[in-house]
Amino acid sequence: MSETKRVAVYSRVAKENPAALEAQEKDCAEWAQRHGMEVTETYKSVGQDDMFLDLMNDVAAGKVEAVVATKSDRYSRQAAKLKALTEIARKHGVQVFTVELDDLDLTSATGDFRLTMLGLFDDYEKERARLEETVRKSQE
């Protein structure tokens, strides 16, 4: 009989919103249970209090065998950070999942491609919103 895989839950919100963090954690815990994994670590990032580096360090240290967030943009909205996570995870044999993509391992070739595209789209959306805000302010 194989051991239960240790999974870390990563949740992130832009500003203090305990209900949103709780909902993300609940969804991830339910996902882990459905996939026969045990949540052994939880990382909560709120605004500038970012636990992403802690997550990366613990992945590299072998504290977990998998990581899950509700959506890829909960890890980060920066494509470079998403890529860094998947590269560290792949190097250390850790799988990266999202509830949204169910059982697609983002460290697989298909998952890596999809995650890269999602990250690039997030970068585009942030830049578009920034430009719209600049135009709006210049018109005031």
Side-chain angles (χ1 to χ4, degrees):
M1 185 170 170
S2 65
E3 291 184 30
T4 302
K5 190 174 280 192
R6 297 170 292 139
V7 65
V9 167
Y10 188 80
S11 57
R12 183 178 66 80
V13 292
K15 59 186 177 187
E16 186 65 35
N17 186 343
L21 282 174
E22 185 178 309
Q24 288 179 44
E25 291 169 24
K26 180 179 180 277
D27 290 346
C28 290
E30 289 172 354
W31 179 93
Q33 185 177 22
R34 281 193 312 273
H35 289 84
M37 298 182 194
E38 176 187 2
V39 175
T40 58
E41 303 290 333
T42 302
Y43 303 86
K44 300 176 188 183
S45 290
V46 178
Q48 298 301 314
D49 184 19
D50 191 352
M51 300 296 294
F52 191 79
L53 186 56
D54 294 331
L55 171 69
M56 298 259 295
N57 288 335
D58 288 350
V59 164
K63 285 184 114 178
V64 295
E65 297 155 308
V67 179
V68 66
T70 53
K71 297 174 18 177
S72 62
D73 69 358
R74 295 302 82 202
Y75 289 117
S76 177
R77 289 186 184 244
Q78 298 174 11
K81 283 177 79 172
L82 292 170
K83 190 71 172 164
L85 173 62
T86 57
E87 287 175 3
I88 290 273
R90 190 178 299 117
K91 179 179 178 183
H92 295 282
V94 174
Q95 295 176 293
V96 178
F97 297 101
T98 64
V99 173
E100 175 185 54
L101 299 176
D102 194 30
D103 61 353
L104 177 62
D105 176 2
L106 299 177
T107 57
S108 70
T110 301
D112 184 52
F113 173 76
R114 187 149 185 199
L115 186 62
T116 299
M117 298 310 295
L118 289 169
L120 291 172
F121 183 74
D122 285 340
D123 285 349
Y124 163 76
E125 283 294 312
K126 281 188 306 195
E127 182 62 16
R128 186 188 58 73
R130 188 189 66 75
L131 289 172
E132 284 179 2
E133 180 68 13
T134 301
V135 168
R136 186 187 62 75
K137 284 183 178 180
S138 72
Q139 293 173 346
E140 291 178 347

